[in-house]
Amino acid sequence: MILIAAASPLSAYPNRTDTVVHTTVEKRSDSPDWWWNRLKQGRLQMNDTSIIYPKFLGFCVDVYNWADRTFNGYDTAYVVGTGKRWKAVVRNDNWTDSYAFNMRHDMPVRLMSDIYCNAGVFVQYMAVSIGYSLDLSNIIGNKPALHKKMGGAFSCALFSIEGYYTENTGGSFLRTFGKYNGGHIFKEEFPGVSMRTYGLDAYYFFNHRKYSQGAAYSFSKYQVKSAGSFIAGFSYGNRDIRLNFETLPEHLIPYLTIPLQKYRFHYKNYCFMAGYGYNLVFGNNWLWNFTAIPSVGLNRSFLDSLEGKQDMLSLGIKSKTSLTWNINDIYLGIQASFDGSWYRSSDYSLFSSIENLSASVGVRF
């Protein structure tokens, strides 16, 4: 005979004291290692593998860490990180544009614009920056704002990409004008100049393990031992420069040996760049950088340009220098740059350039 026993409900045993255990599953967002909790505590490090992320955000962090290892690795005997993600900086920026014009070697003219001054406050987290800049030249000089200057950059150990836009109408001065004043320097306002230029530059640093451009210009690293690097890259620029000699002061017209008309140089250039940069570490936390990068390529003028659509040789040079002093998490920097481009045809020569001087005081946190 086979006996089958049926399980009885607990209610059948009123005196039984069995305890039912309820297990509570902790939510990931309650963990101290949840990314938002780490961020609020100021302990969020992108390369910390113990941090818990949502699926998509975790994928983005993994991609970032791969790119950081691949494109941003340094020899720590030469370059080290600051250990900080945030920066706050006060920056003063001063720039001018200048021109050297000649026609058939018969009418040398030199022009230079006003010096335009900006001051601003910026807060930056890694590569993202927000801030506000005030045009001091407009306030102090009480002149209309007829100039614009914008730019942005992305850089890592291997390469750097920089974009820019500059515009200026009027506010320029004649410095030499043919045989006027014996060919010597003078200064007289000339409203017939307008300029608009924009472009993109890309650089590759060959000695990227030991040389950091960011240590000198974006204050994102510490260069602890002197090193230099050969630099190569490609640039694209679009320039539209107009000289209207019909606006000349009356007393200068007799010295003009070319037609009294408007001259427009509207062209784009494609150039290969090659140069060298060097970081010199000296004194107590001082860093000096000098970078010079000549360029050669093709100038292609537009149909609305003075000589119509044609191709010609393009020559140019970009150079800059920086002096930086690091005091723990505080830094002070002075930077100067020069960007020149030469338009040269059988009849005309125009060398245009933009010069910039800036000073920064900032803190990393």
Side-chain angles (χ1 to χ4, degrees):
M1 179 182 297
I2 300 176
L3 299 177
I4 301 176
S8 300
L10 292 178
S11 59
Y13 305 92
N15 297 323
R16 189 165 178 170
T17 59
D18 293 45
T19 301
V20 179
V21 178
H22 298 279
T23 302
T24 302
V25 178
E26 181 182 352
K27 292 191 296 185
R28 293 194 303 168
S29 59
D30 294 332
S31 170
D33 292 327
W34 181 247
W35 72 278
W36 184 249
N37 296 331
R38 284 285 195 95
L39 180 63
K40 289 188 294 184
Q41 298 168 9
R43 298 190 302 115
L44 181 65
Q45 299 292 333
M46 302 289 279
N47 58 357
D48 188 344
T49 57
S50 66
I51 297 177
I52 304 170
Y53 294 98
K55 188 173 182 179
F56 177 73
L57 184 57
F59 168 76
C60 295
V61 171
D62 289 341
V63 171
Y64 168 83
N65 286 328
W66 169 83
D68 190 46
R69 291 190 302 269
T70 305
F71 300 112
N72 218 23
Y74 288 100
D75 182 341
T76 54
Y78 288 81
V79 180
V80 297
T82 65
K84 308 294 183 181
R85 300 284 182 178
W86 291 86
K87 290 196 292 284
V89 58
V90 177
R91 181 181 300 121
N92 168 247
D93 193 59
N94 310 274
W95 65 278
T96 182
D97 49 285
S98 57
Y99 312 89
F101 169 79
N102 208 337
M103 178 178 176
R104 300 190 187 98
H105 308 286
D106 188 49
M107 189 64 215
V109 180
R110 305 290 181 270
L111 305 107
M112 180 174 286
S113 74
D114 271 329
I115 297 177
Y116 303 112
C117 305
N118 297 318
V121 179
F122 303 88
V123 176
Q124 181 174 348
Y125 178 74
M126 297 175 64
V128 180
S129 175
I130 59 172
Y132 179 78
S133 181
L134 192 63
D135 189 342
L136 298 181
S137 59
N138 184 34
I139 296 174
I140 298 174
N142 196 27
K143 295 181 179 180
L146 301 174
H147 54 276
K148 297 178 183 177
K149 182 174 178 289
M150 297 179 288
F154 172 82
S155 63
C156 61
L158 271 73
F159 63 88
S160 174
I161 300 175
E162 302 174 358
Y164 59 88
Y165 177 91
T166 311
E167 182 178 329
N168 189 18
T169 302
S172 294
F173 296 86
L174 290 164
R175 303 313 307 268
T176 66
F177 189 77
K179 296 180 180 180
Y180 176 77
N181 197 36
H184 299 304
I185 293 177
F186 68 104
K187 184 177 181 180
E188 181 152 350
E189 189 168 2
F190 177 52
V193 180
S194 67
M195 173 272 293
R196 182 175 62 91
T197 178
Y198 59 88
L200 191 70
D201 303 324
Y203 308 92
Y204 178 82
F205 307 106
F206 287 88
N207 191 22
H208 53 79
R209 294 283 300 172
K210 298 180 179 180
Y211 171 82
S212 172
Q213 193 88 349
Y217 293 99
S218 61
F219 315 105
S220 58
K221 301 290 181 183
Y222 294 127
Q223 184 88 39
V224 295
K225 188 176 180 180
S226 300
S229 177
F230 285 102
I231 303 171
F234 176 82
S235 72
Y236 165 78
N238 187 304
R239 298 174 186 262
D240 189 359
I241 300 168
R242 308 184 192 201
L243 306 176
N244 183 5
F245 287 116
E246 295 175 355
T247 63
L248 276 175
E250 290 291 333
H251 68 278
L252 291 179
I253 292 178
Y255 294 90
L256 186 68
T257 60
I258 60 177
L260 184 66
Q261 64 179 49
K262 299 176 182 178
Y263 295 82
R264 184 180 186 183
F265 302 89
H266 189 195
Y267 64 98
K268 53 187 175 182
N269 50 30
Y270 307 88
C271 294
F272 170 76
M273 303 183 293
Y276 191 79
Y278 189 79
N279 277 343
L280 175 65
V281 179
F282 66 98
N284 186 15
N285 301 322
W286 285 93
L287 173 65
W288 175 74
N289 172 276
F290 180 77
T291 302
I293 310 176
S295 63
V296 59
L298 173 70
N299 275 343
R300 174 164 290 176
S301 60
F302 290 89
L303 192 60
D304 58 3
S305 190
L306 179 67
E307 300 174 288
K309 191 173 182 180
Q310 61 173 292
D311 296 333
M312 62 198 80
L313 178 68
S314 176
L315 296 174
I317 185 169
K318 298 177 185 291
S319 63
K320 56 185 177 180
T321 187
S322 172
L323 182 64
T324 305
W325 187 28
N326 292 294
I327 316 168
N328 297 321
D329 290 327
I330 299 174
Y331 60 86
L332 297 88
I334 299 175
Q335 302 170 356
S337 65
F338 177 89
D339 181 4
S341 175
W342 190 29
Y343 175 102
R344 172 75 182 196
S345 68
S346 58
D347 292 324
Y348 299 95
S349 173
L350 176 67
F351 185 84
S352 59
S353 61
I354 296 175
E355 298 84 18
N356 195 94
L357 176 67
S358 63
S360 303
V361 178
V363 59
R364 308 177 185 93
F365 59 97

